[in-house]
């Protein structure tokens, strides 16, 4: 079977092709992090915005910070790939042509720095996952060996180093203002990224000049991004081949739902993403909190408890009655009480839509995929809600069950049906050291709550939290997840 590329597009049904000739686009956006999420989210919005406005200057120069694999997927396909949208009733294919160039920083970051420094580039976007920013407590982790190596003067390879280097190139070229959008699940992601870049710039020679240029010429709008995008499987690629009649090694699969809320604070021109359904707003924070706590917070609980109970996918986890009930009550009885709900926002409808998204039978979203990188996710998904409940004199009882679920997951590493559960986490070694210190549930709770980058400094000393986690961990240690939850949910 022939492979998807520009010259093969003529043979594809018009309805599946990009709604413009990709050859006519020029790149006005640099995107860092070419994983499946970007391909199924911002690139699709951009394609639709270009189609709606006819503005051909918003092609994307996609950058893979480390992996050359993406070059092998998208390079021979001229940047083209298919988004397969799956729901219970329908599987739909759409070819995206917005990515016009693919670069990798691993070999040589200089073309990327030049691109960020070039006047036609007005927007940089990033999806590099939480760990890609290499931060600690919201600040740049200057002790991180990769950050330290960038700061010591090599050609930058970290995301923040590349951004700072690109902005330096732009200042030197006098190429004008630019906007940088973080599209990862981090609260206040714009403010956070601005701070990380400033932390990096502070260590560069003549830092004052660059830092003050950035303050004047660069905006970092915050964004809330949402679309469930499981890892692509061979089965997905086979379905794509059937639908488009070509082999596609860059295909991605996603749910029908998609949402993008963007702070309307740009330094320069930008694509009309609102013409593709994005919401432009003065304040992203309420949306971001709602999404991070209700969607991502529930997702992580489903991932750990589901994986322990032997569920391979999030939908399988939801189908386990006790886990479904826990997540429903976690959202309504705990998470929702910690949120500021914008006027006109229908919280019940939002929760109902999350439940149907989590149970989408056509999406095989693996529990282990969501379980990855817990140390980077827990701080923003669970802990602000724990703190908020405590401040209001409420018990974070169900959140404690989720925390105990993570503790059981990282310490036991085996499901109730005996399946090994790998721990994929940048802090895996530290977590393993803390686990090795002790064998009792209480000891484990005390030791793991002592990992400050994950749980902060005070939680370990909070008697109520300790008691709640102890009770849940005791249960999860002594019986299978379903029986433990039956007892904990009484
Ligand atoms: C998930 C997210 O992998 C995870 O941790 O919770 O990727 C989630 O699917 C997206 O944020 C949905 O927008």
């Amino acid at each position: 079977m022939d492979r998807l590329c520009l010259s093969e597009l003529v043979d594809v049904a018009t309805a599946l092709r990009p709604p413009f000739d990709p050859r006519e686009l020029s790149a006005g956006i640099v995107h860092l992090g070419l994983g499946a999420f970007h391909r199924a989210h911002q690139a699709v919005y951009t394609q639709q915005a270009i189609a709606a406005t006819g503005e051909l200057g918003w092609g994307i120069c996609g950058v893979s910070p480390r992996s050359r694999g993406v070059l092998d997927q998208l390079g021979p396909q001229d940047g083209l790939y298919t988004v397969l949208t799956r729901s219970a009733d329908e599987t739909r294919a759409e070819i995206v042509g917005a990515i016009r160039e693919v670069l990798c920083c691993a070999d040589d970051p200089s073309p990327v720095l030049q691109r960020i420094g070039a006047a036609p580039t007005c927007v940089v976007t990033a999806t590099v996952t939480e760990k890609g920013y290499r931060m600690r407590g919201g600040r740049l982790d200057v002790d991180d060996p990769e950050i330290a190596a960038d700061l010591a003067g090599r050609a930058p390879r970290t995301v923040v180093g590349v951004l700072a280097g690109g902005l330096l190139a732009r200042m030197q070229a006098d190429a004008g203002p630019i906007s940088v959008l973080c599209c990862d699940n981090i609260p206040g992601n714009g403010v956070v990224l601005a701070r990380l870049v400033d932390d990096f710039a502070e260590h560069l020679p003549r830092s004052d000049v660059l830092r003050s240029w950035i303050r004047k010429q660069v905006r970092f709008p915050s964004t809330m991004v949402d679309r469930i995008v499981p890892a692509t499987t061979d089965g997905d690629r086979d379905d794509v081949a059937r639908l488009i009649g070509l082999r596609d090694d860059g295909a991605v699969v996603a749910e029908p739902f998609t949402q993008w809320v963007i702070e309307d604070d740009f330094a320069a021109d930008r694509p009309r993403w609102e013409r593709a359904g994005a919401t432009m707003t003065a304040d992203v924070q309420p949306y971001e909190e709602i999404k991070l706590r209700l969607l991502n917070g529930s997702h992580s609980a489903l991932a750990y408890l589901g994986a322990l109970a032997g569920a391979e996918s999030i939908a399988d986890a939801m189908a386990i009655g006790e886990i479904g009930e826990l997540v429903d009550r976690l959202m309504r009885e705990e998470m929702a009480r910690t949120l500021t709900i914008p006027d006109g926002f229908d919280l019940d409808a939002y929760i109902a839509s999350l439940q149907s998204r989590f149970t989408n039978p056509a999406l095989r979203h693996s529990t282990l995929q969501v379980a990855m990188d817990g140390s980077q996710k827990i701080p923003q998904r669970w802990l602000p809600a724990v703190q908020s409940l405590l401040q209001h004199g409420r018990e974070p009882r169900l959140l404690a069950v989720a925390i105990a679920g993570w503790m059981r997951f990282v310490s036991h590493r085996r499901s109730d049906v005996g399946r090994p559960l790998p721990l994929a986490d940048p802090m895996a070694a530290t977590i393993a050291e803390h686990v090795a210190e002790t064998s009792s549930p209480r000891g484990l709770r005390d030791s793991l709550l002592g990992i400050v980058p994950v749980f902060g400094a005070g939680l370990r000393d909070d008697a109520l939290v300790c008691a709640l986690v102890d009770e849940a961990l005791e249960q999860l240690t002594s019986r299978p997840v379903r029986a433990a939850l039956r007892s904990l949910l009484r």
Side-chain angles (χ1 to χ4, degrees):
M1 185 176 267
D2 291 326
R3 191 155 169 200
L4 175 63
C5 64
L6 283 173
S7 59
E8 296 290 344
L9 266 187
V10 281
D11 295 329
V12 176
T14 319
L16 309 185
R17 281 189 230 159
F20 43 75
D21 181 353
R23 290 181 192 84
E24 293 181 0
L25 299 189
S26 59
I29 302 174
V30 169
H31 178 78
L32 307 175
L34 270 181
F37 186 75
H38 170 70
R39 288 183 240 169
H41 191 273
Q42 303 97 54
V44 175
Y45 278 91
T46 302
Q47 164 140 315
Q48 290 171 1
I50 295 169
T53 58
E55 292 179 5
L56 300 174
W58 295 117
I60 299 169
C61 166
V63 178
S64 170
R66 294 150 70 89
S67 141
R68 289 187 192 84
V70 178
L71 293 188
D72 300 337
Q73 289 175 357
L74 296 181
Q77 300 187 178
D78 303 318
L80 300 176
Y81 62 91
T82 311
V83 178
L84 195 65
T85 305
R86 287 194 189 278
S87 67
D89 339 302
E90 196 188 21
T91 301
R92 238 167 30 83
E94 171 188 13
I95 298 174
V96 176
I99 298 182
R100 297 313 327 126
E101 191 178 8
V102 185
L103 302 172
C104 177
C105 284
D107 306 314
D108 174 15
S110 48
V112 180
L113 307 188
Q114 275 163 21
R115 271 287 186 193
I116 298 176
T121 305
C122 293
V123 173
V124 178
T125 50
T127 51
V128 295
T129 79
E130 298 85 344
K131 65 174 176 254
Y133 296 96
R134 299 178 186 274
M135 56 179 157
R136 207 183 160 97
R139 304 303 295 253
L140 189 68
D141 183 0
V142 287
D143 297 327
D144 175 278
E146 292 292 319
I147 294 285
D150 275 9
L151 286 173
R154 70 169 180 192
R157 285 207 209 122
T158 65
V159 171
V160 175
V162 167
L163 266 173
L167 294 176
L168 177 64
R170 193 169 183 92
M171 178 185 86
Q172 287 165 341
D174 198 15
I178 187 166
S179 310
V180 180
L181 282 80
C182 174
C183 301
D184 281 294
N185 290 316
I186 298 169
N189 52 14
V191 178
V192 169
L193 186 52
R195 198 186 302 129
L196 298 177
V197 170
D198 186 61
D199 284 349
F200 191 97
E202 193 186 344
H203 288 82
L204 297 178
R206 301 187 56 228
S207 66
D208 286 355
V209 182
L210 176 62
R211 290 172 79 196
S212 106
W213 183 86
I214 292 176
R215 272 197 294 277
K216 290 197 195 101
Q217 303 284 339
V218 188
R219 289 277 184 285
F220 293 85
S222 283
T223 70
M224 183 275 259
V225 292
D226 191 6
R227 191 169 197 188
I228 294 177
V229 184
T232 313
T233 63
D234 287 341
D236 297 324
R237 280 182 281 267
D238 290 347
D239 283 354
V240 167
R242 231 188 353 265
L243 287 164
I244 69 165
L246 295 167
R247 180 179 136 210
D248 178 357
D249 287 1
V252 295
V253 58
E255 62 172 340
F257 182 94
T258 181
Q259 190 180 16
W260 196 6
V261 184
I262 305 168
E263 185 185 1
D264 200 355
D265 179 25
F266 282 73
D269 202 6
R270 62 166 176 85
R272 302 289 115 195
W273 285 310
E274 62 273 40
R275 297 285 303 275
T279 305
M280 309 302 299
T281 174
D283 187 9
V284 175
Q285 194 190 345
Y287 297 93
E288 181 189 87
E289 256 176 32
I290 291 172
K291 192 257 171 173
L292 267 170
R293 294 187 197 177
L294 291 175
L295 189 156
N296 298 110
S298 303
H299 241 180
S300 290
L302 281 162
Y304 299 116
L305 294 165
L308 286 167
E312 293 200 359
S313 72
I314 294 292
D316 291 347
M318 284 293 284
I320 297 175
E322 294 81 355
I323 297 184
E325 181 187 340
L326 173 99
V327 165
D328 183 59
R329 289 180 49 188
L330 176 67
M331 288 198 266
R332 292 177 201 280
E333 294 172 20
E334 296 191 358
M335 294 298 198
R337 297 203 162 132
T338 71
L339 297 167
T340 308
I341 306 297
D343 285 344
F345 188 95
D346 185 342
L347 189 68
D348 283 331
Y350 187 79
I351 292 178
S353 98
L354 286 184
Q355 282 170 332
S356 88
R357 293 171 63 193
F358 291 158
T359 48
N360 181 342
L363 220 56
R364 303 296 300 162
H365 195 193
S366 117
T367 44
L368 291 179
Q369 184 185 344
V370 180
M372 264 171 51
D373 297 349
S375 68
Q376 315 291 302
K377 295 174 177 174
I378 289 172
Q380 56 271 14
R381 295 183 178 197
W382 294 343
L383 302 184
V386 170
Q387 296 299 357
S388 164
L389 290 172
L390 291 174
Q391 274 157 17
H392 291 93
R394 294 182 195 269
E395 291 194 350
R397 184 171 279 280
L398 303 168
L399 277 155
V401 177
I403 293 173
W406 175 77
M407 291 180 170
R408 178 71 176 157
F409 178 92
V410 300
S411 57
H412 186 56
R413 310 273 290 273
R414 211 159 261 289
S415 75
D416 288 341
V417 292
R419 175 175 169 224
L421 300 173
L423 177 59
D425 194 301
M427 290 189 70
T430 308
I431 293 168
E433 278 166 28
H434 282 254
V435 167
E437 273 172 19
T438 173
S439 59
S440 72
R442 269 164 192 262
L444 195 62
R445 177 266 297 157
D446 184 54
S447 177
L448 287 172
L449 281 186
I451 306 182
V452 176
V454 180
F455 290 105
L459 215 57
R460 186 190 202 176
D461 303 320
D462 188 299
L464 173 62
V465 170
C466 291
L468 292 171
V469 175
D470 282 347
E471 186 192 349
L473 196 52
E474 197 75 62
Q475 286 288 337
L476 288 168
T477 308
S478 57
R479 54 188 57 148
V481 173
R482 298 184 64 166
L485 291 183
R486 272 200 294 278
S487 146
L488 291 165
L489 288 170
R490 260 184 320 196

